[in-house]
């Protein structure tokens, strides 16, 4: 069996949507169970007294990265066929800042707002409505902003390409950063959380 | 008529004909919702006669009147010759589900109105003496029994006819299933129960409605399984029609919107609510109602895409 399964024609569009639904529900369930359906828990990240968001998200990134790397080395996964979102440096930095401001002010990111909505939280519902409204505004204003949106296209850029380093070295470096980050995050939690 | 359709002599039918747009699924959904509300109203009136607690039975008939009127508007918009709608009521054809439906819809109005008047608070009903007298009369045991019976009879009739209406149209193999009637009825009951426990304020009533909705959702799952098994194991045309939902172009919409989000997920949430492991949330009933709407849209659209080979 070779992966990506969809790219190798193991299933079609309809089945891929079904699988996406199951994975999405599972993702949302574990987000909520981890406490990420609560705006208080999420914004604690920005007050530095609870670094769970950083730890969970970074450990998810590292787990996925190691999985992709090992499966690629074993010949199970064709890494070249994995879809990568193209890089548009300027627009994506601005988009990231906007999302970050929204995250701090509202207490959710898009995924966690849906997890919050699923448990009936009214702030999550308001947030989800905001996502719809923002999507419509973006779509309707696309013609006016499309030059900026497509500015600085760098294609599907990866860290090994950007730094001109072997894949394995970058993976090892990211793991080291993660381990160091987890240690540092725990120290900050103890210091800030303990001071309260 | 069947021969014309099945031997491809009608250029409007082959290869596919989508004459029904959004109006029919919306009407079928609203009709099913009202049917569920009527049956549940009847059940609650029978279960809790003369209750002084805040009861959804006071509200459901009025909501039902609004919803069925909106459904009738959708149905009217679908008509090709709108000026001839009165002809539906110039005859009664006992072998035509559409004729049954037309007359059932007419019968639903007075039943809902009387049930609504029976549930009016005395302060409101007594504002106009004849209304107060009628409300008191309707609350007496013999009239109440008749109202219970009428609500349940017309509710079941309205809910089941919407499915039979589709299954009687022989040109569309996806609809050639006797399970569609009960499936639409149970889906309507589930939608009605979901809405009722969403607005219910009395904890006992809310709990009873919640548990009944879980039962309806389980039954709906079983009926969907029977519907698909029945089609897949019938003739070539029905098996091809079933494949529209089992790998074909309506697969994701059916399994994600109808089964996943509309039945399985709310059933899981409502089971936790029923056992008081989580609090009551609007999300589950809203998902159930969305699933009921999606069921009509998918069945109507996929049915029109199915044809005899």
């Amino acid at each position: 069996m070779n992966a990506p399964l969809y790219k190798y024609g193991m299933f079609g569009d309809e089945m891929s949507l079904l699988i996406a639904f199951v994975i999405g529900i599972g993702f949302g369930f574990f987000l909520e169970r981890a406490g990420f359906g609560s705006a208080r828990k999420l914004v604690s990240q920005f007050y530095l007294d609870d670094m769970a968001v950083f730890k969970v998200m970074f450990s998810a990134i590292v787990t996925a990265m190691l999985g992709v790397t090992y499966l690629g080395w074993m010949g199970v996964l064709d890494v070249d066929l994995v879809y990568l979102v193209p890089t548009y440096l300027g627009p994506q930095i601005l988009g990231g800042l906007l999302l970050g401001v929204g995250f701090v002010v509202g207490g959710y990111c898009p995924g966690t707002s849906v997890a919050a909505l699923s448990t009936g939280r009214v702030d999550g519902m308001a947030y989800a409505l905001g996502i719809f409204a923002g999507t419509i505004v973006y779509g309707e204003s696309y013609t006016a902003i499309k030059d900026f949106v497509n500015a600085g296209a760098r294609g599907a850029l990866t860290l090994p390409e950007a730094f001109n380093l072997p894949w394995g070295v970058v993976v090892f470096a990211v793991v080291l950063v993660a381990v160091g980050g987890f240690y540092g995050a725990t120290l900050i939690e103890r210091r800030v959380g303990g001071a309260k | 008529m069947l021969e014309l359709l099945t031997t491809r002599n009608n250029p409007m039918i082959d290869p596919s004909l989508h004459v029904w747009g959004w109006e029919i699924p919306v009407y079928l959904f609203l009709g099913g919702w009202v049917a569920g509300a009527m049956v549940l109203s009847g059940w609650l009136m029978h279960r809790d006669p003369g209750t002084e607690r805040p009861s959804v039975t006071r509200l459901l008939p009025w909501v039902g009147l609004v919803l069925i009127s909106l459904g009738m508007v959708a149905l009217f918009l679908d008509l090709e010759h709108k000026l001839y709608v009165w002809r539906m009521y110039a005859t009664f054809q006992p072998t035509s589900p559409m004729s049954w439906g037309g007359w059932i819809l007419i019968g639903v109005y007075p039943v809902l109105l009387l049930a609504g008047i029976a549930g009016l608070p005395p302060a409101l009903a007594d504002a106009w003496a004849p209304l107060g007298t009628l409300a008191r009369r309707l609350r007496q045991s013999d009239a109440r029994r008749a109202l219970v019976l009428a609500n349940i009879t017309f509710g079941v009739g309205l809910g089941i006819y919407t499915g039979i209406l589709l299954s009687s149209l022989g040109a569309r193999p996806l609809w050639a299933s006797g399970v569609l009637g009960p499936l639409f009825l149970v889906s309507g009951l589930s939608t009605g129960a979901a809405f009722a426990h969403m607005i219910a304020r009395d904890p006992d009533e809310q709990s009873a409605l919640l548990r009944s909705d879980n039962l309806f959702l389980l039954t709906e799952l079983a009926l969907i399984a029977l519907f698909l098994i029945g089609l897949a194991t019938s003739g070539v045309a029905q098996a091809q029609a079933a494949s529209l939902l089992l790998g074909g172009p309506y697969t994701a919409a059916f399994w994600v919107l109808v089964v996943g989000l509309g039945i399985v997920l709310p059933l899981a949430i409502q089971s936790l609510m029923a056992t008081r492991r989580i609090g009551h949330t609007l999300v589950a009933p809203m998902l159930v109602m969305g699933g009921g709407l999606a069921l009509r849209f998918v069945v109507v659209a996929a049915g029109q895409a199915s044809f005899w080979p």
Side-chain angles (χ1 to χ4, degrees), chain B residues 102-124:
Chain B
W103 285 105
I104 287 172
L105 283 168
I106 290 296
V108 158
Y109 273 94
V111 174
L112 283 172
L113 191 63
L114 290 174
I117 291 171
L120 282 178
L124 194 62

Side-chain angles (χ1 to χ4, degrees), chain A residues 49-122:
Chain A
D49 55 4
D50 184 346
M51 303 288 276
V53 175
F54 169 78
K55 289 177 181 172
V56 168
M57 290 306 169
F58 211 168
S59 58
I61 289 167
V62 170
T63 306
M65 180 189 67
L66 291 176
V68 166
T69 302
Y70 290 137
L71 289 173
W73 284 347
M74 287 156 66
V76 176
L77 175 69
D78 189 341
V79 179
D80 291 336
L81 289 180
V82 175
Y83 176 73
L84 296 174
V85 178
T87 300
Y88 299 91
L89 219 48
Q92 283 170 346
I93 288 172
L94 181 68
L97 286 171
L98 276 175
L99 189 139
V101 170
F103 200 160
V104 177
V105 173
Y108 294 112
C109 68
T112 51
S113 73
V114 177
L117 178 157
S118 70
T119 57
R121 288 178 190 267
V122 179

Side-chain angles (χ1 to χ4, degrees), chain A residues 14 17-18 21 25 117-120, chain B residues 248-249 251-252 255-256 261 281 283:
Chain A
E14 292 289 316
L17 287 171
L18 264 183
F21 170 71
I25 293 292
L117 178 157
S118 70
T119 57
Chain B
T251 305
W255 291 99
V256 172
L261 288 175
T281 163
V283 175

Side-chain angles (χ1 to χ4, degrees), chain B residues 19-273:
Chain B
V19 287
W20 284 347
W22 63 269
E23 299 90 346
I24 297 300
V26 165
Y27 159 69
L28 295 177
F29 168 66
L30 293 173
W33 183 352
V34 174
M38 291 182 79
V39 173
L40 290 165
S41 282
W43 172 55
L44 288 172
M45 277 193 273
H46 172 71
R47 176 179 174 263
D48 236 353
T51 178
E52 290 305 315
R53 293 178 308 186
S55 167
V56 287
T57 50
R58 293 178 190 276
L59 197 60
L60 283 181
W62 300 110
V63 174
L65 277 172
V66 174
L67 293 175
I68 201 66
S69 302
L70 289 174
M72 293 283 267
V73 170
L75 205 53
F76 183 72
L77 288 176
D78 175 70
L79 289 178
E80 184 70 28
H81 302 290
K82 295 181 172 56
L83 289 177
Y84 298 123
V85 65
W86 60 271
R87 288 190 177 178
M88 284 284 293
Y89 300 103
T91 181
F92 173 64
Q93 299 293 326
T95 57
S96 162
M98 210 171 274
S99 185
W100 274 97
W103 285 105
I104 287 172
L105 283 168
I106 290 296
V108 158
Y109 273 94
V111 174
L112 283 172
L113 191 63
L114 290 174
I117 291 171
L120 282 178
L124 194 62
D126 289 335
W128 186 44
L131 190 64
T133 310
L134 179 60
R136 275 189 293 280
R137 176 74 191 89
L138 288 169
R139 281 198 284 267
Q140 287 172 1
S141 62
D142 54 339
R144 202 189 63 244
R145 266 199 302 273
L147 260 184
V148 167
L149 192 64
N151 262 286
I152 292 176
T153 306
F154 274 90
V156 169
L158 178 63
I160 208 163
Y161 116 83
T162 54
I164 294 175
L165 179 70
L166 295 184
S167 60
S168 66
L169 299 174
R172 299 298 170 202
L174 185 80
W175 298 336
S177 166
V179 181
L180 263 189
L183 175 60
F184 275 29
L185 172 63
V186 173
S187 169
L189 285 168
S190 167
T191 305
F195 175 73
H197 81 70
M198 189 169 75
I199 61 167
R201 290 291 167 263
D202 179 67
D204 175 52
E205 198 169 70
Q206 190 177 58
S207 173
L209 287 163
L210 179 67
R211 286 167 195 277
S212 66
D213 192 25
N214 286 349
L215 191 64
F216 295 141
L217 289 171
L218 276 173
T219 312
E220 197 179 344
L221 268 184
L223 288 172
I224 284 174
L226 288 175
F227 173 62
L228 292 175
I229 291 169
L231 286 175
T233 54
S234 297
V236 176
Q238 284 87 350
Q240 279 183 0
S243 72
L244 291 168
L245 307 175
L246 299 169
Y250 296 90
T251 305
F254 181 72
W255 291 99
V256 172
L257 299 178
V258 179
V259 178
L261 288 175
I263 300 177
V264 175
L265 205 59
L267 182 60
I269 296 172
Q270 290 187 170
S271 299
L272 293 172
M273 282 154 66

